[in-house]
Amino acid sequence: MKKLSLYMMAFLAMGFAACDDGYNFDPEAGPQSNLPESLLKVDDVTVTTTSQVINLADYLNVETEEETPVSFGAVTVRDGAMPANTILKAVVEMSTDADFSKKITLDAESLDGTNEICVMPSTIQDAYYNNLTHNPNTKQVYVRTILYTITNGESEAIVGKPGENYFDTHTVTFTPLNTGVKISNKYYIVGTPNGWSNSATGAVAVPFEHSDADVYDDPIFTVVIDATYDGGNRADTWFSILAGDDVDAFVGGDWSVLYGNNVGNGDESLTGVLTQRSVFGGDCNMKMPAEDGATSYQITIDVLEGTYTVTPLNDNGAIIDTDPILYLTGSNPDYNWGSKWVPLIPVCNQWSDDAALTAKMEVMSWIIIYLSEGEEFKFAPQAGWGSDFGMSATVTDIDVTGDANTHVFDPSSGDNIKMTKSGWYLLKVTNTEGARKVEFLKPNVYLIGNTSPAGWNTDASGLFTAPTDKGGQFVSPAFIADDEVRMCVSLGEGIDWWRAEFIANGGQIDFRGNGGDQGRVRVKTGQKCYLNFGLGSGLYK
């Protein structure tokens, strides 16, 4: 028996715990497949199943911190078949699918002096939990063994052909250790969106959406709720979250089962830790204030991590103060090749003494946009076909990749620009006849002016944090002063920052375009700006 640390028992270690025989494999990638074939033949070896029911709790003693190896099979080698000075080594593969499309690879204990194929239970638990599923319930898994020979303590070879010869493929009724994490299959909003109802129908009137995956493997739930109105005027939106397993208790009058935040009742944070009222010791509802300008809210919860994120939305979209001079459409289902044309923001070309730069800015536009791998798109100077272009322009992305030979688009995709890497991009497009240019730039958004740590400069201290996902928000640094807010992107080429500036106003992003100074919005010290370029929404909080 081996001692098992309390740290391991808490299942907080994310690394794979392997044995100490010097042959450690990535639990997902498996063993190397370029080894020579062993002199020991497949027909000379038999592996017999020893366990078809495995409950890891039977092999781990939390109180004594001891663990007992789990036996998967016993190896028998025909007399005289084993090469001289050779021992066997085993690797066990486990999968929740019969085709082993998603599997973990478990390095067995040494077979020197024994014929039992054993794996330490902590090794099984870590690999299973971290790489297969977080689900703590009993389920059928598929198991098979790969055998190796080790001659003279160092020369390793595989028994049979890699990827073809497996021993003792069978099913096991497997129960992992109970990590104490309990996830419901359904979640609901309780608050102003459902009238704070705890009736049998009202309690489940506003459900979260979820994928068809196991909730332990995909613990993300989302819902969009309308902002609250009172007599036609925006009012504060209050809500808590109800787990499906607690519906009966809630309908029966137990409000302590609701989940809120861990700060206090009426907290307006857009992110936080889910905390049940019974644990918090009272009401801890979330509140979205009426003055944030949102028309709806997307609420996302990660019930495995116990966190929530609120994204204020404005259904009216962004505002461009002057008419666009360039549009984008493409294969994105939202555009469907001309069903919708997305306007780019024109650069302000006024008040310039540089004639050449002015001429360039007069046909220059930009946009911050999320583009998915495989997505194709092109541009046109109006919201319709005609004079459209894509790869016929000079297309560059060295600002993003840093390498002239590496691209985020397919250089050989015909006239459409076809993406090879998903992400947020700042597209800068110059529509000069005969010299069109499309530049992929980093999606850098800057806070600038008296509220910015960078002052009136576009440097790193004023950068917004960019999201990685399509629905994410760009978040500014905290404002350093109670003052008028200004923000921009940087287009290079000596172009002043204010020629590509914008603000958030009334819940919407308001782009200056080719117009004059915008109406000003004052913010408070310590607040931040949250921008959703996909929806054209923005707010200060």
Side-chain angles (χ1 to χ4, degrees):
M1 301 181 96
K2 289 187 178 180
K3 285 282 188 178
L4 181 69
S5 72
L6 290 174
Y7 181 67
M8 181 73 73
M9 285 303 300
F11 307 114
L12 297 176
M14 293 303 292
F16 173 63
C19 304
D20 296 327
D21 60 7
Y23 298 92
N24 300 330
F25 303 131
D26 183 311
E28 286 188 289
Q32 57 181 316
S33 59
N34 58 352
L35 293 173
E37 189 172 340
S38 174
L39 295 177
L40 180 64
K41 302 303 179 184
V42 172
D43 293 340
D44 293 330
V45 183
T46 302
V47 178
T48 305
T49 302
T50 54
S51 301
Q52 288 191 297
V53 177
I54 297 174
N55 184 342
L56 288 188
D58 296 336
Y59 298 86
L60 291 166
N61 189 314
V62 178
E63 293 183 359
T64 63
E65 302 179 31
E66 293 182 326
E67 57 178 335
T68 302
V70 179
S71 176
F72 283 91
V75 184
T76 303
V77 179
R78 183 178 60 81
D79 288 344
M82 184 71 80
N85 301 317
T86 298
I87 61 172
L88 284 172
K89 181 171 74 75
V91 168
V92 177
E93 292 188 340
M94 178 184 290
S95 176
T96 52
D97 303 312
D99 62 359
F100 287 82
S101 57
K102 183 179 181 181
K103 64 180 184 293
I104 53 175
T105 303
L106 306 168
D107 194 9
E109 296 286 285
S110 173
L111 285 168
D112 189 10
T114 181
N115 72 331
E116 275 203 78
I117 300 170
C118 294
V119 181
M120 298 307 293
S122 57
T123 297
I124 301 171
Q125 174 67 23
D126 279 357
Y128 184 84
Y129 183 85
N130 292 328
N131 299 294
L132 277 186
T133 177
H134 293 331
N135 195 322
N137 299 315
T138 299
K139 66 187 336 177
Q140 178 177 273
V141 298
Y142 300 85
V143 172
R144 64 190 182 189
T145 300
I146 304 171
L147 292 175
Y148 301 84
T149 54
I150 301 174
T151 302
N152 296 321
E154 58 182 25
S155 181
E156 184 175 356
I158 188 168
V159 180
K161 296 185 180 300
E164 295 183 19
N165 295 120
Y166 300 98
F167 295 88
D168 190 30
T169 301
H170 64 281
T171 59
V172 170
T173 301
F174 179 74
T175 306
L177 291 174
N178 190 342
T179 60
V181 176
K182 183 181 180 182
I183 298 178
S184 294
N185 289 318
K186 296 181 179 180
Y187 289 84
Y188 306 92
I189 288 291
V190 173
T192 50
N194 81 326
W196 290 107
S197 173
N198 71 326
S199 70
T201 55
V204 297
V206 187
F208 279 78
E209 295 182 352
H210 186 260
S211 69
D212 294 329
D214 187 316
V215 293
Y216 288 91
D217 298 329
D218 178 15
I220 308 299
F221 290 73
T222 60
V223 66
V224 175
I225 60 173
D226 290 333
T228 304
Y229 287 83
D230 183 6
N233 297 317
R234 262 301 311 273
D236 295 340
T237 301
W238 293 74
F239 65 92
S240 282
I241 294 162
L242 173 65
D245 291 345
D246 296 327
V247 169
D248 289 343
F250 179 62
V251 172
D254 184 0
W255 289 69
S256 71
V257 299
L258 293 178
Y259 287 85
N261 63 82
N262 68 340
V263 177
N265 196 38
D267 183 61
E268 300 178 2
S269 299
L270 296 177
T271 59
V273 176
L274 291 170
T275 306
Q276 201 164 34
R277 287 189 184 185
S278 60
V279 176
F280 186 78
D283 292 354
C284 50
N285 304 300
M286 283 74 97
K287 184 185 80 171
M288 296 295 108
E291 59 269 18
D292 66 13
T295 56
S296 59
Y297 301 94
Q298 177 179 286
I299 303 167
T300 302
I301 56 176
D302 183 331
V303 291
L304 190 62
E305 296 295 330
T307 58
Y308 69 89
T309 300
V310 181
T311 304
L313 310 176
N314 190 299
D315 297 339
N316 297 320
I319 299 170
I320 304 177
D321 291 353
T322 60
D323 291 336
I325 57 173
L326 195 67
Y327 296 81
L328 174 152
T329 193
S331 62
N332 185 315
D334 292 338
Y335 317 150
N336 194 24
W337 287 118
S339 295
K340 177 180 178 181
W341 290 84
V342 180
L344 277 70
I345 300 95
V347 173
C348 183
N349 59 63
Q350 305 181 67
W351 308 291
S352 171
D353 295 329
D354 186 330
L357 182 59
T358 299
K360 183 179 290 188
M361 291 190 298
E362 285 176 347
V363 290
M364 184 182 295
S365 302
W366 64 274
I367 188 172
I368 289 184
I369 189 171
Y370 187 92
L371 298 168
S372 300
E373 180 181 353
E375 181 175 345
E376 299 182 43
F377 63 96
K378 62 195 317 183
F379 305 93
Q382 65 284 316
W385 298 109
S387 300
D388 44 277
F389 61 93
M391 289 299 295
S392 58
T394 299
V395 184
T396 64
D397 59 0
I398 194 167
D399 180 72
V400 175
T401 66
D403 180 359
N405 297 314
T406 302
H407 300 289
V408 298
F409 63 91
D410 181 357
S412 60
S413 62
D415 192 36
N416 300 330
I417 301 174
K418 183 176 182 179
M419 299 302 298
T420 57
K421 185 176 181 180
S422 300
W424 283 98
Y425 298 96
L426 168 56
L427 298 183
K428 173 186 169 186
V429 186
T430 307
N431 188 20
T432 302
E433 185 68 33
R436 295 186 173 106
K437 189 174 184 180
V438 178
E439 298 173 68
F440 285 83
L441 306 176
K442 296 174 183 175
N444 290 341
V445 178
Y446 297 92
L447 185 66
I448 196 164
N450 294 334
T451 66
S452 174
W456 293 93
N457 303 300
T458 53
D459 66 32
S461 62
L463 265 177
F464 280 59
T465 301
T468 56
D469 60 307
K470 183 176 181 179
Q473 299 179 97
F474 287 71
V475 182
S476 77
F479 303 139
I480 63 170
D482 295 0
D483 211 320
E484 295 176 345
V485 66
R486 302 183 79 164
M487 56 197 82
C488 67
V489 297
S490 178
L491 299 177
E493 298 188 68
I495 297 172
D496 297 312
W497 64 266
W498 52 266
R499 298 185 182 279
E501 77 166 315
F502 51 93
I503 55 174
N505 194 0
Q508 298 170 270
I509 302 177
D510 185 355
F511 297 101
R512 175 174 181 163
N514 192 30
D517 278 347
Q518 297 179 286
R520 295 290 163 229
V521 174
R522 292 187 66 86
V523 293
K524 295 180 180 180
T525 303
Q527 287 184 318
K528 295 181 180 181
C529 181
Y530 297 82
L531 301 174
N532 187 315
F533 284 98
L535 297 168
S537 62
L539 77 155
Y540 308 102
K541 187 181 285 288

